[in-house]
């Protein structure tokens, strides 16, 4: 497979040049204008942020992308699916309230917001997974599958289960209905090391002693996310945008966000979600860790087992490379990319 092109621009701007303008320029250079959007429904898949979290993308970026779609004659809408866990986005009514409180509405974004899997998270479509190894079929939010075109607008950040949350995480896990999320999470059994467990009673949330491991569950999770992304993207135009900023150590599904573990990097865009995730990950691995952060704290611990990987040093025991390898294996894209700086 030939190298995929990934386009990049940093967050530096000149006077009177807004970042939203730079984002639109990046998208045009990356080829978004090649997509025929005239009269088409265009799903802009993004994360509206859990209530209490402030690391999610600002609605200004969503409007910049929606405006590009409307310029091309498309009919954009922002979308996400309900969560599996109890929180502020577990059904469509609360999800829409959460989005509105966090600044996403028709005024700020210039388009409608649809919760793709409906009121209770049960409005999904069963979609075959081409070359699926772990999932032969995926359960995807109906509104997302009804769209003619999909654009992923992703906040690239760390993640406690997958190493980082990129374009594939945004689409694959985020685009799955509640049944789809259950299918992706239902692998692996916890094993408790009694010598490390201190009976803190907080295992269900997060074990602070590294006493709980999940055989290869995280590796399989990443592979399933790749397969769900394949199901969503297969057979229709898709374009992917990732903003590598406010790189919190954990997902935007948290009701809080810890300090960034790395400095802001820039904005990336590509037709290939695998190449895009690889380029964003490589850029993060080359960045200097921030001292006052989860990553910085870990690196200062006496006897810390140092890895040459910021994601592993921030969240030990995660596996992320296997997901990209699997995505390449099933034909979703390639990890081999050419970075084009704008």
């Amino acid at each position: 497979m030939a190298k995929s092109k990934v386009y990049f621009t940093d967050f530096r701007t000149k006077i009177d040049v807004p970042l939203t303008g730079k984002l639109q320029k990046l998208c045009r250079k990356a080829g978004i204008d090649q997509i025929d959007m005239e009269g088409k429904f265009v799903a802009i898949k993004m994360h509206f942020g859990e209530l209490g979290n402030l690391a999610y993308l600002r609605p200004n970026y969503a409007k910049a992308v929606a405006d590009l779609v409307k310029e091309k004659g498309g009919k954009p809408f922002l979308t996400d699916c309900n969560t599996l866990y109890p929180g502020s986005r577990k059904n469509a009514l609360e999800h829409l309230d959460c989005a509105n409180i966090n600044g996403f509405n028709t005024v700020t974004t210039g388009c409608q917001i649809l919760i793709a899997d409906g009121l209770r998270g049960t409005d999904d479509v069963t979609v075959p997974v081409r070359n699926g190894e772990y999932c032969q079929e995926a359960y995807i939010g109906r509104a997302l599958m009804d769209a003619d075109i999909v654009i992923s607008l992703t906040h690239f950040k760390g993640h406690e289960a997958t190493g980082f949350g990129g374009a594939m995480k945004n689409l694959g896990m985020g685009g799955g209905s509640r049944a789809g999320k259950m299918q992706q999470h239902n692998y692996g059994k916890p094993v408790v090391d009694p010598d490390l467990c201190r009976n803190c009673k907080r295992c269900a949330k997060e074990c602070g002693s590294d006493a709980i491991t999940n055989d290869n569950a995280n590796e399989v999770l990443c592979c399933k996310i790749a397969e769900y992304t394949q199901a969503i993207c297969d057979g229709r135009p898709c374009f992917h945008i990732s903003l590598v900023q406010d790189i919190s150590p954990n997902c935007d599904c948290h009701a809080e966000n810890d300090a960034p573990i790395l400095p802001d990097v820039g904005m990336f865009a590509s037709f290939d979600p695998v190449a895009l995730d690889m380029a964003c990950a490589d850029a993060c691995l080359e960045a200097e860790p921030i001292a006052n952060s989860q990553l910085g704290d870990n690196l200062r611990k006496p006897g810390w087992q140092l890895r040459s990987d910021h994601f592993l040093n921030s969240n030990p025991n995660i596996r992320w490379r296997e997901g990209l390898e699997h995505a390449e294996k099933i034909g979703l894209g390639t990890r081999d990319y050419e970075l084009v700086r704008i």
Side-chain angles (χ1 to χ4, degrees):
M1 182 179 290
K3 288 184 178 181
S4 290
K5 288 188 177 182
V6 177
Y7 292 77
F8 166 78
T9 190
D10 59 28
F11 287 115
R12 296 296 304 274
T13 62
K14 298 178 181 178
I15 294 176
D16 296 330
V17 179
L19 283 175
T20 50
K22 284 197 75 175
L23 175 59
Q24 291 178 330
K25 180 180 179 181
L26 174 73
C27 291
R28 289 192 175 99
K29 290 287 187 180
I32 197 170
D33 288 339
Q34 298 171 17
I35 303 173
D36 178 13
M37 299 185 186
E38 184 64 41
K40 307 288 180 62
F41 291 113
V42 182
I44 302 174
K45 170 62 184 75
M46 66 178 305
H47 194 304
F48 302 122
E50 191 71 18
L51 290 183
N53 187 293
L54 296 178
Y56 59 88
L57 295 182
R58 294 180 180 180
N60 310 64
Y61 292 115
K63 186 176 188 304
V65 177
D67 286 348
L68 281 178
V69 172
K70 288 189 289 186
E71 286 177 14
K72 294 286 294 176
K75 302 174 181 178
F77 64 95
L78 304 184
T79 193
D80 197 6
C81 286
N82 292 305
T83 59
L84 187 61
Y85 60 85
S88 57
R89 297 176 299 122
K90 62 183 179 294
N91 62 64
L93 299 184
E94 294 179 14
H95 204 155
L96 288 170
D97 282 343
C98 174
N100 195 30
I101 291 170
N102 283 346
F104 296 90
N105 54 59
T106 56
V107 175
T108 59
T109 67
C111 65
Q112 297 290 337
I113 300 172
L114 300 177
I115 304 307
D117 59 346
L119 180 63
R120 300 178 183 272
T122 57
D123 188 14
D124 56 20
V125 179
T126 303
V127 183
V129 179
R130 180 167 56 88
N131 300 324
E133 180 178 332
Y134 298 94
C135 306
Q136 276 65 57
E137 55 186 20
Y139 306 100
I140 310 298
R142 184 177 299 275
L144 186 56
M145 289 309 301
D146 280 347
D148 301 299
I149 299 161
V150 173
I151 297 175
S152 65
L153 177 58
T154 302
H155 171 219
F156 190 96
K157 66 278 181 186
H159 197 280
E160 63 276 20
T162 60
F164 63 77
M168 288 197 297
K169 177 69 167 53
N170 178 26
L171 276 176
M173 181 60 72
S177 65
R178 288 175 64 89
K181 290 178 172 66
M182 178 64 78
Q183 183 186 37
Q184 292 176 75
H185 279 298
N186 69 356
Y187 192 90
K189 298 181 182 300
V191 178
V192 178
D193 186 336
D195 294 329
L196 291 175
C197 183
R198 57 185 181 181
N199 198 31
C200 65
K201 309 293 185 183
R202 296 185 62 189
C203 301
K205 184 177 181 182
E206 248 178 34
C207 180
S209 304
D210 287 333
I212 298 178
T213 59
N214 275 286
D215 45 55
N216 65 339
N218 287 346
E219 174 186 346
V220 174
L221 173 62
C222 290
C223 293
K224 287 183 176 181
I225 287 171
E227 294 188 353
Y228 261 64
T229 306
Q230 174 82 304
I232 291 169
C233 294
D234 209 18
R236 58 179 167 174
C238 292
F239 186 80
H240 310 281
I241 308 159
S242 288
L243 275 64
V244 187
Q245 62 177 165
D246 295 324
I247 309 169
S248 51
N250 300 317
C251 183
D252 291 344
C253 292
H254 281 243
E256 84 293 323
N257 56 284
D258 199 359
I261 60 174
L262 299 166
D264 291 352
V265 176
M267 301 182 277
F268 297 74
S270 179
F271 283 102
D272 185 337
V274 184
L276 180 64
D277 276 359
M278 191 74 253
C280 292
D282 283 344
C284 287
L285 296 181
E286 294 174 3
E288 189 71 24
I290 294 177
N292 186 26
S293 70
Q294 177 174 294
L295 172 59
D297 289 348
N298 287 347
L299 293 175
R300 287 195 301 272
K301 290 178 180 177
W304 178 258
Q305 184 183 349
L306 184 65
R307 293 99 162 164
S308 58
D309 186 319
H310 294 329
F311 302 119
L312 276 171
N313 282 321
S314 180
N315 285 302
N317 303 318
I318 53 90
R319 308 283 291 273
W320 61 269
R321 293 184 185 274
E322 287 81 356
L324 291 173
E325 292 169 0
H326 188 68
E328 189 172 57
K329 176 183 174 183
I330 64 176
L332 178 60
T334 177
R335 291 171 291 163
D336 198 10
Y337 64 90
E338 174 190 350
L339 191 67
V340 181
R341 297 177 181 271
I342 304 301

